[in-house]
Amino acid sequence: MKVITTVKELRSTIAALRSPGKSIGFVPTMGFLHEGHLSLIRQASSENSLVVVSIFVNPIQFGPQEDFASYPRNLEQDCRLAKAAGAQIIFAPAVEEMYPQPILTFVDVKNLGNPLCGQSRPGHFRGVCTVVNKLLNIVQPDKAYFGEKDAQQLAIIQQMVYDLNIPVEIIPVPIQREESGLAMSSRNTYLTPEERASAAVLYQSLQKAKELFESGERSSGIIKDTMTGIIRSVPHACIDYIEISDPYSLTPLAQIDRSALIALAVRFGKTRLIDNLTLAEEE
Ligand code: AMP
């Protein structure tokens, strides 16, 4: 496995390996890899001849008060894990390599970045779209893998790829969870043991929502109220949002009359966690 830090070397390495009939899978990450990331890499490895993983904590998607400086990093461990999961190339550029000059060009997907996480993280998705666009241009993969854990990000990236005719297939990968149901996240390392125990309530609330939906409930208000009650019953939980939306346009649904995304963000102490579940009518 090769660890590459410059755009120039990455381009020449991929160019030398690219050939007709050989597909390139790409997994963009911010590192501190866990089973969630590894499931993306394993799937990419099973579907492509070459797998490129990027590890880059992207400063322009963090707000001024957010955790860019303290975000967990461990490149050596990441390389070991990514290699074992099937990656051949790690691209780990420094910030100055990705942004050698103040950036003047941004990619912004209108509307979709405003609701849900966009409310408390203004500019976040603009930063995500800009870096993903740059990475897709640098790697030029056939397929790029994104976790359903970040459902809003996935919807926005799919819209960006469609709108800008980017020649890549976006592959969504299901959420990997700990035994407690807590969605795996690099930020889970911030949680105290008590907060981690409380955070299992997020998945429980989503499961309850699914149960209500399956027993015929279609009122978003009733489902959200029930989830709020469950989450508020544990210590340390402070709800940022719970929303039920159209999974593509991300507009809120008062009545669940089509497939729907239930998404939430909840703070436990200084850690903000997100999770989601998609509801779909049985065929
Ligand atoms: P991050 O390093 O947090 O930017 O995540 C990189 C990619 O891994 C994104 O596409 C995430 O959606 C995905 N990912 C993160 N956590 C999980 C998880 N628990 N299950 C599945 N995919 C995940």
Side-chain angles (χ1 to χ4, degrees):
M1 194 189 61
K2 254 186 125 140
V3 182
I4 296 176
T5 57
T6 67
V7 173
K8 193 170 171 217
E9 191 190 348
L10 183 67
R11 279 191 192 282
S12 61
T13 305
I14 293 177
L17 295 168
R18 202 185 292 278
S19 68
K22 261 195 167 183
S23 70
I24 299 177
F26 176 48
V27 182
T29 82
M30 296 206 300
F32 212 70
L33 303 183
H34 50 65
E35 274 301 313
H37 300 112
L38 299 181
S39 70
L40 272 63
I41 300 173
R42 284 191 200 105
Q43 188 168 335
S45 172
S46 74
E47 295 176 359
N48 299 277
S49 358
L50 179 70
V51 175
V52 180
V53 174
S54 65
I55 295 178
F56 180 62
V57 185
N58 174 36
I60 67 166
Q61 71 187 66
F62 288 77
Q65 307 304 322
E66 292 184 354
D67 56 344
F68 172 70
S70 60
Y71 195 84
R73 293 160 169 92
N74 188 341
L75 184 57
E76 216 173 288
Q77 176 175 289
D78 287 347
C79 291
R80 223 173 336 104
L81 293 172
K83 184 180 178 191
Q88 283 86 27
I89 297 177
I90 298 273
F91 179 49
V95 170
E96 304 73 46
E97 178 68 14
M98 285 299 278
Y99 303 113
Q101 295 175 8
I103 185 164
L104 301 179
T105 308
F106 293 90
V107 181
D108 208 358
V109 177
K110 265 178 92 172
N111 302 341
L112 299 190
N114 297 336
L116 310 178
C117 288
Q119 289 288 302
S120 57
R121 304 192 73 188
H124 168 68
F125 290 109
R126 188 176 88 143
V128 170
C129 286
T130 303
V131 81
V132 170
N133 212 303
K134 282 168 71 75
L135 290 166
L136 291 175
N137 282 330
I138 295 166
V139 177
Q140 300 187 16
D142 299 281
K143 295 178 179 175
Y145 297 78
F146 289 86
E148 288 174 353
K149 154 97 191 316
D150 297 272
Q152 185 173 17
Q153 169 174 287
L154 180 57
I156 291 174
I157 298 287
Q158 280 170 322
Q159 186 71 42
M160 175 183 83
V161 163
Y162 177 80
D163 285 347
L164 299 181
N165 302 92
I166 304 177
V168 66
E169 188 183 346
I170 299 299
I171 313 283
V173 181
I175 302 176
Q176 298 296 310
R177 299 180 178 280
E178 294 181 2
E179 219 169 291
S180 68
L182 176 63
M184 290 180 176
S185 163
S186 305
R187 288 191 169 98
N188 289 352
T189 52
Y190 298 151
L191 298 167
T192 64
E194 296 77 27
E195 288 165 353
R196 184 178 279 267
S198 288
V201 82
L202 303 183
Y203 185 57
Q204 290 158 17
S205 75
L206 288 165
Q207 287 302 106
K208 180 68 187 177
K210 185 164 178 255
E211 201 182 296
L212 286 172
F213 176 77
E214 283 171 355
S215 60
E217 184 57 66
R218 292 294 179 270
S219 157
S220 291
I222 290 175
I223 293 178
K224 286 193 286 186
D225 286 350
T226 308
M227 293 175 69
T228 302
I230 293 172
I231 293 171
R232 287 211 178 124
S233 73
V234 298
H236 313 294
C238 178
I239 296 172
D240 183 353
Y241 69 79
I242 299 174
E243 196 49 90
I244 301 182
S245 318
D246 177 279
Y248 305 102
S249 69
L250 303 180
T251 47
L253 298 173
Q255 285 293 314
I256 308 174
D257 54 6
R258 63 193 96 159
S259 79
L261 172 73
I262 310 184
L264 54 80
V266 177
R267 284 175 205 279
F268 292 86
K270 65 178 169 68
T271 311
R272 182 175 175 280
L273 299 180
I274 58 171
D275 203 344
N276 70 84
L277 181 89
T278 299
L279 299 174
E281 293 285 2
E282 297 274 309
E283 294 290 308

